[in-house]
Amino acid sequence: MSEFRIHHDVNELLSLLRVHGGEGAEVYIDLLQKNRTPYVTTTVSAHSAKVKIAEFSRTPEDFLKKYDELKSKNTRNLDPLVYLLSKLTEDKETLQYLQQNAKERAELAVNATASGSISFTIPSATSKISMQELEELRKQLGSVTTSSSVQQPLELIRKILRDKQNKKNSGQPIPVFPAWVYERSALNGDFLIGSSLSTDTTVPIGTLPLASQESTIVEDLLYVLIGVDGRYITAQPLIGRQNRAFLVDPNLDMSVKELVTRILPVAASYSTVTRFIEEKSSFEYGQVNHALAAAMRTLIKEYMILITQLEHLQRQGLLSLQKLWFYIQPTMRTMEILASLATSVDKGECMGGSTLSLLHDRTFNYTGDSQAQELCLYLTKAASVPYFEILEKWIYRGIINDPYSEFMVEEHELQKEKIQEDYNDKYWDQRYTVVQQQIPSFLQKMADKILSTGKYLNVVRECGCDVTCPEAKEVIYTLKERAYVEQIEKAYNYASKVLLDFLMEEKELVAHLRSIKHYFLMDQGDFFVHFMDLTEEELKKPVDDIIPTRLEALLELALRMSTANTDPFKDDLKIDLMPHDLITQLLRVLAIETKQEKAIINADPTELTLSGLEAFSFDYIVKWPLSLIINRKALTRYQMLFRHMFYCKHVERQLCNVWISNKAAKEYSLHSAKWFAGAFTLRQRMLNFVQNIQYYMMFEVMEPTWHILEKNLKSASNIDDVLSHHTSFLDNCLKDCMLTNPELLKIFSKLMSVCVMFTNCMQRFTQSMKLNNEMGRLTLEHGTMLGPPTEQERAEEVVKKQLTNKLLAEHADAFQLTSGFEATINKFDSNFSTHLLDLLDKLSVYSTNDCEHSMINIIYRLDFNGFYTERLEHISAQRSQKVVSEAPLLPRVVVATQ
């Protein structure tokens, strides 16, 4: 069973059981894929399973009847389903859950029926019903019963099919037969019920001698065998989809009547086949059924030739009833098989691939009966011709020409432009999908490759390149499945190579990915130094005050002034000011296709105004067909990584600016350097933390993962491998950079916030210290080597003093007592240490429990000298002690229950 089939079945089962929420379908899909067995359930095990279910069931007759009905319709996977049900009968817990679930669904159905069903006005039990009310109630019940039991007329079925097909092919309506083809019943080869064409007076057959009875009944039989009522044998009206029944004159001699009864099944089979041919010849039933009907019509012509020869013998008086029985016996088996196939196709409402599956399975089931198998093989070959024509166009040219919706691949109208706009756009997955019921059973194993082959070629065609597989050969139905496998494998390998070469060489996919890596993963150091120097003041503004065109101009300048100028795709890089901060963006992405999605998308924006730094991100222009790989989902992941690292780089620059300010502050006299030394130490610890986190993300996560991606891309054999490797690269980067774990991200954000608040505090204090020193310098009344200050210099000094006094008043809060500032620094130190220990503790837990071994590298880097080890061990001991203290509660509960 293929992966997409498992996904479909699990989601369908959850929907039928009305299971919502919980762990979701992905958990069950993973379990199923891990516990798949290599063998396939056979019909032998299905037989014993059927017996087991019949013994378990309260109504075994109904179960066996339903099984036979589904078997006659050639229902796919019936035997594996029966095998599964037999296993469920042994699982008491599952049975109990299913019974409860069935009860709940029945209650929901009753409520729905009560709210939306046809209402009858029934008088209360205490009142008497009048004859008029009784008659009205009888009419209402009769109309409902009739509407539910009567089969839809063929004309209505054809109209439904025609409307469905015309809706799909809006530009090219399908052809239809003129109305008179259906109105003139005499054109049909089947019996005409209710219209006696014979004007001869019928002599009671019981009055004739035995020889005359036989001669007369042979003539009647020859008429009945070609769909015309005889004088003593007449066809009965059809009820639903039952086989044709005949009424034989009861006065016929018993010996003759016995032989007649043996021959009449041929006439019944002829009636069934003729009706099938007339019905399925209509365009609405598709090309496969039309081809099958045409093949049956050819066989019916041979049958009619035989009847004509028998009529010739009858006219010469050489055909007795025994001879007729002798000549008709070889044809009886053929007509029986044809009628059985026609009935099964009709009951199963088969079209296209499902019809071919039924024919193929019947062909295999007749192994050992060479005549029957040869007949079914002939019909299957004939019916498969139009289907294989569609298949050839798809796997050799990437074109679908399926006006009657018979092919296994279905095309959906999707715009490839949306792939650059919508994060959750599934163009590659949903443009072409597999229709499970239209997969012929003999192509089931190759369904995935057939889908991928056409998709690959179709992408190249949409880029304006006409492509045709050079090894294209006609596909012909055969019982040897290896023939299909070889042809499809060749087409698949060619399509994979064509698209991969097209993307890698002509469209330069790897070069585009390297270009994206330069900017989004920040491996162009000089470019970012230039860019952040140029945009530092602009990005400090609120996002509403930033002029995007100015940022674009500064980006262009930074690109031209750095080594990024050699990048041929640098013009595809754009500025994007996001409406949300990074954490909100992550929550919106994680909420896609969940119950919270609508609430988060419709939520009011945060009241806090974003700064340019918080909203800033890059964007990248990607054209078709590269947008299949670098789609909006991939670009959003790149943006999240960039915003994460860009903010870390900003915090690092701020801490470095504090270091520069502190270097200048060493020139000034300090009354108490104790707290100032503490601030230096804290700043160095913060800088060490931020730089090591950046180093870890860039050189221990992104670079190794990138090299793995490049290596995998060189060995990729098709576009699906490329998609898988690229998605895996981004997922690993997001996971190892702590962006997929909300708990770790929350702690990390707090650490960054503490660092930013500390830098702001230190910058304000350093600025105040500079002003204080400037004030002291201005109060010194001294001259220069040229002599005492002049009047003009004294006037300028007065102005500077006034300005300095004004600035000192604005920063008066900085001149608090030394003890107050020392408490502030100690508070920063305490918060930073608490959050850092929390982060290291969580990283230790995740790296151990979830086997995320790469994250433990952060601990080794930050705790390189064992400074935090003792504290972490203390936290771990407290956690273990808490677990041990809670453990003894369990035995007491067990003893109490006993």
Side-chain angles (χ1 to χ4, degrees):
M1 183 183 289
S2 61
E3 186 176 348
F4 76 86
R5 179 68 188 278
I6 294 175
H7 277 260
H8 174 270
D9 289 350
V10 169
N11 284 303
E12 194 73 16
L13 182 60
L14 291 177
S15 174
L16 288 171
L17 294 176
R18 299 180 185 272
V19 177
H20 302 291
E23 296 174 325
E26 293 298 328
V27 177
Y28 304 110
I29 292 166
D30 291 340
L31 284 172
L32 285 171
Q33 289 181 337
K34 288 176 183 176
N35 296 286
R36 290 171 70 178
T37 53
Y39 61 86
V40 179
T41 306
T42 62
T43 53
V44 177
S45 59
H47 175 71
S48 58
K50 184 174 65 171
V51 173
K52 186 184 293 185
I53 296 174
E55 293 173 353
F56 178 82
S57 174
R58 295 178 182 175
T59 54
E61 296 84 0
D62 293 342
F63 165 73
L64 293 173
K65 183 179 179 182
K66 190 66 178 177
Y67 177 85
D68 292 336
E69 179 188 343
L70 293 173
K71 198 70 176 176
S72 69
K73 292 182 179 180
N74 200 55
T75 304
R76 190 172 295 188
N77 296 324
L78 177 61
D79 289 340
L81 174 63
V82 170
Y83 181 80
L84 173 64
L85 292 176
S86 70
K87 289 295 181 184
L88 289 177
T89 59
E90 302 170 1
D91 191 338
K92 304 299 181 184
E93 185 178 352
T94 306
L95 276 176
Q96 186 177 358
Y97 169 77
L98 290 174
Q99 288 171 353
Q100 180 64 28
N101 185 272
K103 183 179 178 182
E104 292 173 359
R105 288 191 292 121
E107 290 174 356
L108 288 172
V110 168
N111 294 335
T113 305
S115 61
S117 61
I118 301 171
S119 59
F120 299 106
T121 306
I122 302 178
S124 61
T126 55
S127 63
K128 292 184 178 180
I129 303 178
S130 66
M131 291 301 296
Q132 185 178 359
E133 289 174 336
L134 182 62
E135 190 63 30
E136 287 180 5
L137 181 59
R138 186 183 290 114
K139 287 180 180 179
Q140 288 178 336
L141 290 171
S143 64
V144 172
T145 307
T146 305
S147 63
S148 61
S149 61
V150 173
Q151 183 186 354
Q152 290 181 327
L154 294 177
E155 184 179 352
L156 180 59
I157 295 174
R158 284 195 298 269
K159 185 178 184 305
I160 293 171
L161 291 172
R162 191 162 54 247
D163 292 344
K164 179 182 176 183
Q165 291 154 2
N166 285 334
K167 186 177 180 181
K168 180 183 176 183
N169 308 286
S170 54
Q172 185 181 0
I174 64 169
V176 294
F177 285 132
W180 56 264
V181 173
Y182 306 108
E183 293 170 357
R184 299 180 182 179
S185 54
L187 294 176
N188 194 337
D190 197 15
F191 293 91
L192 292 175
I193 304 299
S195 57
S196 179
L197 300 179
S198 175
T199 57
D200 297 340
T201 304
T202 303
V203 179
I205 197 167
T207 61
L208 298 176
L210 185 59
S212 299
Q213 285 188 25
E214 182 178 351
S215 175
T216 304
I217 213 68
V218 165
E219 183 181 0
D220 264 20
L221 281 172
L222 291 174
Y223 277 114
V224 170
L225 288 173
I226 58 172
V228 179
D229 281 334
R231 288 177 291 180
Y232 303 104
I233 304 174
T234 55
Q236 298 298 299
L238 290 170
I239 302 175
R241 288 176 173 167
Q242 294 180 0
N243 290 332
R244 177 78 69 182
F246 295 92
L247 181 63
V248 182
D249 193 314
N251 297 319
L252 188 64
D253 186 84
M254 289 301 297
S255 59
V256 177
K257 192 174 184 179
E258 177 64 25
L259 268 179
V260 170
T261 307
R262 293 183 187 181
I263 296 172
L264 281 179
V266 181
S269 298
Y270 169 81
S271 173
T272 301
V273 174
T274 303
R275 278 183 281 114
F276 177 83
I277 292 172
E278 295 297 331
E279 179 183 342
K280 304 304 179 185
S281 294
S282 299
F283 294 103
E284 291 84 355
Y285 291 94
Q287 296 175 331
V288 172
N289 283 343
H290 186 86
L292 176 61
M296 285 188 175
R297 193 187 300 274
T298 302
L299 295 174
I300 289 296
K301 286 180 180 177
E302 295 180 3
Y303 168 79
M304 295 297 285
I305 290 172
L306 171 65
I307 300 301
T308 304
Q309 291 173 348
L310 292 175
E311 285 180 352
H312 183 66
L313 290 175
Q314 191 264 338
R315 291 194 191 99
Q316 294 177 348
L318 302 176
L319 185 66
S320 64
L321 192 58
Q322 287 288 348
K323 283 186 177 181
L324 176 59
W325 170 239
F326 174 77
Y327 286 127
I328 208 69
Q329 281 187 68
T331 308
M332 180 178 287
R333 178 64 173 154
T334 302
M335 296 301 292
E336 182 185 345
I337 293 171
L338 292 179
S340 173
L341 288 172
T343 304
S344 297
V345 171
D346 203 27
K347 281 184 177 179
E349 298 179 355
C350 300
M351 282 184 65
S354 55
T355 299
L356 293 181
S357 294
L358 188 147
L359 292 170
H360 174 77
D361 293 344
R362 286 295 179 88
T363 306
F364 255 99
N365 291 341
Y366 284 129
T367 301
D369 186 343
S370 58
Q371 182 184 357
Q373 190 174 48
E374 186 178 349
L375 174 62
C376 288
L377 187 61
Y378 164 75
L379 293 173
T380 312
K381 279 185 177 180
S384 64
V385 170
Y387 191 91
F388 282 151
E389 287 177 357
I390 303 172
L391 176 65
E392 288 166 14
K393 281 188 178 180
W394 176 244
I395 63 173
Y396 294 148
R397 300 186 61 194
I399 299 173
I400 282 189
N401 184 14
D402 181 26
Y404 302 101
S405 303
E406 299 174 283
F407 192 49
M408 69 171 74
V409 179
E410 185 178 18
E411 182 178 9
H412 304 277
E413 291 297 328
L414 294 176
Q415 297 177 356
K416 59 176 178 284
E417 290 75 16
K418 279 190 68 180
I419 207 167
Q420 272 294 297
E421 302 169 6
D422 185 7
Y423 173 85
N424 204 32
D425 182 64
K426 297 180 179 178
Y427 180 90
W428 181 250
D429 296 325
Q430 293 185 350
R431 173 69 192 277
Y432 295 101
T433 57
V434 169
V435 183
Q436 191 63 34
Q437 63 268 24
Q438 295 294 4
I439 304 176
S441 54
F442 51 88
L443 293 177
Q444 181 74 51
K445 296 177 182 177
M446 302 299 295
D448 288 342
K449 286 197 173 180
I450 290 172
L451 173 66
S452 299
T453 303
K455 282 169 68 175
Y456 296 163
L457 296 177
N458 187 265
V459 171
V460 180
R461 287 184 63 83
E462 289 198 2
C463 296
C465 302
D466 190 12
V467 59
T468 304
C469 180
E471 298 184 10
K473 294 181 181 178
E474 184 182 3
V475 183
I476 301 174
Y477 175 78
T478 173
L479 291 176
K480 298 177 181 177
E481 292 187 11
R482 186 64 197 167
Y484 309 119
V485 173
E486 289 177 356
Q487 286 180 265
I488 293 168
E489 285 280 0
K490 289 178 181 177
Y492 174 76
N493 293 334
Y494 171 77
S496 302
K497 186 176 185 302
V498 165
L499 180 57
L500 200 59
D501 292 346
F502 183 73
L503 289 177
M504 293 291 190
E505 296 174 9
E506 188 171 337
K507 296 299 180 180
E508 301 178 284
L509 173 63
V510 177
H512 275 89
L513 289 175
R514 285 200 191 102
S515 175
I516 289 174
K517 177 176 177 282
H518 291 332
Y519 307 118
F520 286 86
L521 304 187
M522 298 180 68
D523 74 346
Q524 287 279 19
D526 63 326
F527 161 71
F528 279 100
V529 170
H530 283 301
F531 180 73
M532 296 184 83
D533 286 341
L534 291 170
T535 59
E536 187 170 11
E537 293 301 321
E538 190 73 17
L539 291 177
K540 285 180 181 178
K541 300 177 183 177
V543 68
D544 295 334
D545 297 340
I546 294 177
I547 304 171
T549 52
R550 178 172 173 76
L551 277 181
E552 293 281 0
L554 294 174
L555 171 63
E556 183 75 15
L557 184 61
L559 287 170
R560 303 303 177 195
M561 291 173 59
S562 64
T563 54
N565 193 35
T566 59
D567 182 10
F569 309 114
K570 61 182 178 294
D571 293 332
D572 293 333
L573 188 66
K574 299 297 176 187
I575 296 292
D576 191 10
L577 295 175
M578 310 292 285
H580 309 280
D581 59 8
L582 174 60
I583 295 180
T584 306
Q585 184 185 15
L586 276 168
L587 289 175
R588 287 169 66 90
V589 170
L590 293 172
I592 285 175
E593 291 186 341
T594 64
K595 293 181 179 179
Q596 293 81 18
E597 178 179 13
K598 189 175 180 181
I600 290 180
I601 290 176
N602 295 333
D604 294 333
T606 176
E607 295 178 0
L608 298 175
T609 304
L610 291 178
S611 68
L613 277 165
E614 293 171 317
F616 178 77
S617 181
F618 283 141
D619 202 359
Y620 201 83
I621 299 173
V622 189
K623 297 179 182 177
W624 176 265
L626 291 179
S627 54
L628 283 174
I629 310 296
I630 313 169
N631 50 29
R632 177 47 55 188
K633 184 177 289 188
L635 281 174
T636 302
R637 294 176 182 180
Y638 277 117
Q639 284 181 333
M640 290 188 288
L641 287 167
F642 169 76
R643 297 178 76 182
H644 189 50
M645 296 179 63
F646 187 75
Y647 196 72
C648 288
K649 179 63 72 175
H650 163 69
V651 174
E652 182 194 9
R653 285 169 62 89
Q654 293 294 96
L655 289 168
C656 289
N657 289 338
V658 171
W659 177 80
I660 295 171
S661 302
N662 290 345
K663 292 284 285 184
K666 289 180 181 180
E667 302 173 4
Y668 312 134
S669 59
L670 301 174
H671 299 289
S672 176
K674 181 181 178 183
W675 66 268
F676 204 62
F680 277 14
T681 306
L682 178 58
R683 184 259 308 147
Q684 188 58 36
R685 286 175 58 207
M686 288 180 173
L687 188 60
N688 177 68
F689 165 72
V690 174
Q691 287 178 337
N692 276 288
I693 285 289
Q694 286 188 91
Y695 184 91
Y696 161 76
M697 290 192 294
M698 295 188 70
F699 296 101
E700 295 188 14
V701 174
M702 293 179 185
E703 280 301 323
T705 316
W706 171 260
H707 284 298
I708 293 171
L709 172 65
E710 280 194 322
K711 181 181 177 182
N712 289 336
L713 289 181
K714 289 178 182 177
S715 62
S717 59
N718 56 61
I719 195 67
D720 284 300
D721 287 348
V722 174
L723 271 168
S724 175
H725 294 322
H726 186 232
T727 303
S728 177
F729 162 73
L730 289 171
D731 287 345
N732 289 335
C733 288
L734 287 168
K735 179 184 67 178
D736 291 339
C737 290
M738 301 179 287
L739 286 173
T740 56
N741 190 315
E743 192 174 7
L744 290 176
L745 187 62
K746 184 179 179 182
I747 300 170
F748 184 81
S749 300
K750 288 179 179 178
L751 278 166
M752 290 290 103
S753 299
V754 171
C755 292
V756 171
M757 292 168 65
F758 171 77
T759 59
N760 293 338
C761 178
M762 291 302 295
Q763 290 286 7
R764 286 199 304 271
F765 171 73
T766 306
Q767 190 174 5
S768 301
M769 187 182 298
K770 287 181 180 178
L771 291 172
N772 191 19
N773 184 70
E774 182 69 15
M775 189 69 178
R777 188 185 68 81
L778 291 173
T779 56
L780 295 176
E781 294 291 341
H782 66 276
T784 64
M785 293 179 66
L786 299 176
T790 62
E791 291 296 328
Q792 183 179 356
E793 288 175 343
R794 289 181 182 278
E796 290 176 356
E797 187 176 357
V798 171
V799 174
K800 287 183 180 180
K801 283 184 178 182
Q802 291 175 353
L803 179 62
T804 304
N805 284 328
K806 181 181 178 182
L807 292 172
L808 284 173
E810 293 175 356
H811 293 82
D813 59 320
F815 293 98
Q816 301 296 330
L817 295 174
T818 304
S819 60
F821 214 100
E822 186 177 357
T824 303
I825 297 300
N826 289 337
K827 184 68 174 175
F828 278 124
D829 195 336
S830 174
N831 287 341
F832 180 76
S833 298
T834 302
H835 293 318
L836 182 56
L837 280 171
D838 194 14
L839 178 66
L840 294 176
D841 181 48
K842 291 293 189 296
L843 286 172
S844 177
V845 171
Y846 284 122
S847 61
T848 304
N849 297 347
D850 299 345
C851 298
E852 301 294 347
H853 301 303
S854 60
M855 287 186 180
I856 206 168
N857 294 336
I858 305 177
I859 302 176
Y860 293 147
R861 289 201 153 274
L862 298 177
D863 192 27
F864 61 92
N865 59 357
F867 179 75
Y868 299 106
T869 302
E870 185 178 349
R871 299 188 189 184
L872 287 173
E873 288 176 352
H874 180 66
I875 293 172
S876 179
Q878 286 182 334
R879 188 187 302 112
S880 301
Q881 187 176 0
K882 184 179 179 182
V883 172
V884 170
S885 63
E886 292 175 356
L889 297 175
L890 184 59
R892 295 173 194 166
V893 175
V894 174
V895 171
T897 55
Q898 291 175 349

